Amino acid sequence: MSILVIGLNHRSAPVEIREKLAFNANNIPTALSFFLQRHPKAEAVILSTCNRVEMYVSTLDDTVQVEDVLSFLAEFHRIELSSFSSYMYHNKNDHAAHHLFFVAASLDSMVLGESQILSQVKEAYTIACMQETTGKVLNLLFQQALNVAKVIHSQTAIGKGKVSISSVAVEFAEKIFQDFTGKIVLVVGAGEMCELLIKHLYEEGARTFIVANRTFERAQELADTYQGQAIKYDLLGEYLGKADIIISSTSAPHYVIHANQVREAIKHRRGNPIFLIDIAVPRDIEPDVGNIDNVYLYNIDDLQSVVNQNIDERTKEIEKCRSIIEEEVEHFMAKIEEMKIEPAITLLRNHFHTIGRDELNRLKPKLRNMNEGDWNQVVYTVERTINKILHHPAKVAKLEAKNGGGYRYVEIIKKLFGIFHHTEHHQR
Amino acid sequence: MLTISHIPFIIVIILYFVSSVWAVGSIKRPFSFNKRVVKWCMMMGFFIHSGFLVFLGLESNSIPITNVYESFISLLWCILFVYINLDYLYKLPSLDAFLLPVITALSIWTLTFDNGNLFITIPLQKFWLIAHIIPIFIGYATFTISFSLSVMYLTQQRQLKHKLFGPLFSKLPSLEGIDTLMWKTISFGFPLLTLGLIFGVFWVKTQNILGEMWYLDYKVILGLATWLIYAALLHMRLVASFHGTKIACLTIAGFCFVLFTFIGTFFMGSKHAFQTVDEQSHTEILNIPMTR
């Protein structure tokens, strides 16, 4: 019995290679059934996200090897094997389990501790389940991986703290305003970063956006996306006092918003705070603005330092996560070993019961006078004796199997009692 | 001097102390300082506190405000009572870390007032007493809470301004949220204070308790000053719709006046119906028939 993972991720391969091998939700089922046609006895799951493509395969008899999976991928995506094989990594058994737990817990993600990967792993598993390409082993593996990820997220601080500029800015805004409905957001400049922030604020409930940009058309375009209002750039000063949140990211080489402007604006706000975010380099807002009462100014460095701090906090948690994962891999492998020995134990039981039945059949004609009730007692005693004899060896074998000695015990049991699989029997 | 009769109140103080330590601790280390301990200790303390007040009331056969010590205990009870209700209504995160230490400190201070010689020297007539004392006490209690909210506001404001993003930063609610609650507590307490003061004036006028020059009593003057501060606050908020730091600072000033009016006046010579009398004559005063 083996578990194999073959794949590539954002560290091992450039995006040109990743996109060639990527699957989408529509072609994963096709790929899975295609793979199972080739290897009917295998179990398979495909995990494909924007940062990784991985294939998990398990077989009872080790028939599927790394090369088989690689050639399947090449064939399915119709690309040369040599063009991507050097970017692929592969892990087997406990290493494969370790890898999946690591991925699911988001320790292998580009943004450490993000929670999206967990739902992606879940989805990959669900698709495979629907295609009925998972079996005992991969079911156990994926269920445990999802579980481990949840444990890690609740017991460690790996997912704590915001780790993107825009989410940190929104977090700050939430510490100033109770909610964003009815708050006016003034956007100066219409860059990519601005748009990201607007999107974030929109998701949190902000609805009134005013956009000012040097090129009015671009302002109009951005305003339309969020049902906002575009204003002429020259009118900026008039709107300063109306806005609760001001985001600035122009490419101007000088300050766009000056302290005296804000000082004038705050007068009309009667102590209502203004939250200013300056994500431009060079800065758009005069630093003195931050000293005005009820005005809160953050520039890109302030936000970045919080992001860095949060990333550091998360990084500190990796060791804790690693030890949880190692423990869980051990548990998982113990279950797998136990699973391995189960068929041997079933064989052993069948073997003994066959002997018992044969003997009973031999005895029955000799005890013709016995009534039905007594005969049932005899049958019951024989079965009970066999079960009692086998109880202890089965228990010990399972226990030993958990410690990794499963295979040896299977062999010994087979040898001691002369049990062979049907195929072996035929050969003999 | 501490006697056996103080034991219940000392237990209450210990419980309030433990809950404030846990409330403050849970901000920094939420795993070691369980929030449940805060709630349990506070509620337990509050129940013993209530029981103790009932005991004091039964002992003197009146509302437990017959001396400074008792009235302080009653005020503390009111603060807790108002806080528990507010917390139930608004779910105020982390306010306990700001309020419970204040309550604990005031409780410890209370103990020093039990010198046993400042007694109320007027016949305690139920109607006037309830009409004057209870609204004022509940008003003071809400002002204590708005004071804690103001401290919380200024703390959060400082953290935002100076970019201090520690564990406290993430635990405290938004400035706007604190501001709204500050406003709600003040607008709840102010009518009560007004009512209490009006009844007080009626009381002194009709019963001639503080003499002809009652308006020169320190407590009366300071009471009026307190009322004016909160009236100014309300005016600023209602008419000029003022928010933020200035309101928070004024609220703190208002609370200082509350404390000063409530307790400071005793150091200034004004007794405001409390007089240094011996135990026996005090009992005699209390036994004057309630109805007139």
Side-chain angles (χ1 to χ4, degrees), chain A residues 266-377:
Chain A
I266 198 83
K267 268 186 201 160
H268 307 295
R269 293 184 56 81
R270 304 172 186 277
N272 276 315
I274 306 183
F275 177 47
L276 296 113
I277 310 160
D278 185 357
I279 39 180
V281 178
R283 285 178 292 178
D284 276 349
I285 304 172
E286 200 180 336
D288 260 357
V289 168
N291 299 328
I292 303 168
D293 256 359
N294 294 322
V295 174
Y296 304 94
L297 167 67
Y298 298 98
N299 62 36
I300 188 97
D301 278 5
D302 299 327
L303 300 172
Q304 189 63 52
S305 76
V306 174
V307 167
N308 292 347
Q309 203 181 320
N310 289 345
I311 290 173
D312 281 353
E313 291 296 320
R314 286 188 178 192
T315 316
K316 276 185 206 156
E317 293 292 293
I318 291 184
E319 275 315 301
K320 211 165 153 189
C321 301
R322 218 185 273 274
S323 67
I324 294 176
I325 285 177
E326 263 153 31
E327 212 172 278
E328 291 291 334
V329 167
E330 230 165 74
H331 283 170
F332 173 74
M333 289 317 286
K335 279 186 200 157
I336 290 292
E337 289 297 332
E338 205 183 311
M339 215 186 256
K340 266 189 207 168
I341 206 161
E342 254 164 26
I345 291 171
T346 314
L347 267 175
L348 186 66
R349 276 189 213 283
N350 290 344
H351 178 74
F352 271 63
H353 282 287
T354 315
I355 294 173
R357 259 196 308 278
D358 286 351
E359 286 306 306
L360 283 171
N361 287 342
R362 198 184 59 79
L363 186 65
K364 201 169 183 183
K366 289 180 184 169
L367 298 174
R368 241 172 301 166
N369 299 333
M370 193 181 255
N371 64 33
E372 185 124 351
D374 288 346
W375 174 248
N376 284 345
Q377 279 297 322

Side-chain angles (χ1 to χ4, degrees), chain A residues 215-253:
Chain A
T215 43
F216 185 75
E217 289 70 31
R218 173 72 188 119
Q220 189 71 57
E221 195 183 309
L222 184 60
D224 286 348
T225 322
Y226 294 93
Q227 293 101 48
Q229 176 198 351
I231 56 161
K232 292 252 163 58
Y233 191 76
D234 315 323
L235 298 175
L236 181 62
E238 285 175 33
Y239 282 86
L240 282 181
K242 290 181 186 159
D244 299 285
I245 300 170
I246 300 173
I247 304 165
S248 188
S249 75
T250 72
S251 49

Side-chain angles (χ1 to χ4, degrees), chain A residues 7-279:
Chain A
L8 40 67
N9 63 16
H10 56 283
R11 267 187 277 274
S12 77
V15 65
E16 303 83 64
I17 303 294
R18 294 206 307 272
E19 68 191 6
K20 273 186 200 159
L21 282 173
F23 292 89
N24 56 45
N26 299 326
N27 67 10
I28 289 180
T30 329
L32 284 172
S33 52
F34 182 42
F35 183 77
L36 250 72
Q37 273 170 18
R38 279 186 169 194
H39 309 282
K41 281 184 182 171
E43 300 175 30
V45 174
I46 293 173
L47 171 66
S48 179
T49 72
C50 37
N51 285 329
R52 68 184 64 246
V53 179
E54 284 173 352
M55 197 158 170
Y56 292 83
V57 180
S58 170
T59 47
L60 285 173
D61 45 7
D62 291 6
T63 44
V64 179
Q65 297 299 325
V66 178
E67 294 72 32
D68 299 319
V69 179
L70 287 178
S71 65
F72 159 76
L73 286 173
E75 211 168 300
F76 187 83
H77 289 293
R78 296 200 182 91
I79 45 174
E80 277 295 310
L81 181 63
S82 55
S83 69
F84 69 91
S85 62
S86 59
Y87 298 105
M88 306 293 280
Y89 49 76
H90 56 86
N91 289 307
K92 214 174 167 181
N93 297 339
D94 52 337
H95 295 289
H98 191 280
H99 179 82
L100 178 62
F101 292 180
F102 212 70
V103 168
S106 163
L107 298 171
D108 199 36
S109 302
M110 204 176 219
V111 178
L112 186 67
E114 50 100 7
S115 55
Q116 211 185 357
I117 184 70
L118 182 59
S119 51
Q120 286 164 335
V121 170
K122 204 174 193 172
E123 202 192 330
Y125 173 56
T126 315
I127 292 175
C129 278
M130 303 247 277
Q131 293 303 114
E132 291 174 357
T133 62
T134 59
K136 251 181 174 178
V137 180
L138 288 191
N139 280 337
L140 188 68
L141 177 71
F142 275 81
Q143 278 159 16
Q144 193 154 345
L146 295 173
N147 210 21
V148 171
K150 278 179 203 154
V151 167
I152 283 178
H153 272 276
S154 66
Q155 287 184 4
T156 69
I158 196 78
K160 297 270 149 59
K162 303 281 187 292
V163 287
S164 75
I165 298 269
S166 58
S167 55
V168 166
V170 172
E171 194 190 10
F172 285 174
E174 278 170 347
K175 288 293 173 194
I176 295 170
F177 305 107
Q178 200 166 15
D179 64 288
F180 298 136
T181 42
K183 296 285 178 290
I184 298 171
V185 183
L186 175 62
V187 184
V188 188
E192 201 180 316
M193 194 70 198
C194 256
E195 202 169 341
L196 208 61
L197 251 166
I198 296 175
K199 186 168 168 254
H200 227 114
L201 284 167
Y202 188 85
E203 280 164 9
E204 296 297 321
R207 287 294 176 271
T208 320
F209 295 96
I210 300 171
V211 188
N213 196 43
R214 281 254 178 245
T215 43
F216 185 75
E217 289 70 31
R218 173 72 188 119
Q220 189 71 57
E221 195 183 309
L222 184 60
D224 286 348
T225 322
Y226 294 93
Q227 293 101 48
Q229 176 198 351
I231 56 161
K232 292 252 163 58
Y233 191 76
D234 315 323
L235 298 175
L236 181 62
E238 285 175 33
Y239 282 86
L240 282 181
K242 290 181 186 159
D244 299 285
I245 300 170
I246 300 173
I247 304 165
S248 188
S249 75
T250 72
S251 49
H254 49 75
Y255 295 139
V256 175
I257 297 170
H258 295 273
N260 48 10
Q261 279 178 302
V262 178
R263 225 172 258 132
E264 195 56 41
I266 198 83
K267 268 186 201 160
H268 307 295
R269 293 184 56 81
R270 304 172 186 277
N272 276 315
I274 306 183
F275 177 47
L276 296 113
I277 310 160
D278 185 357
I279 39 180

Side-chain angles (χ1 to χ4, degrees), chain B residues 138-149:
Chain B
I138 296 191
Y140 282 179
T142 46
F143 292 150
T144 314
I145 287 160
S146 53
F147 161 75
S148 298
L149 286 167

Side-chain angles (χ1 to χ4, degrees), chain B residues 96-116:
Chain B
D96 47 6
F98 287 83
L99 184 68
L100 289 171
V102 176
I103 291 176
T104 313
L106 289 176
S107 310
I108 294 169
W109 196 24
T110 307
L111 278 180
T112 63
F113 285 96
D114 194 22
N115 45 20

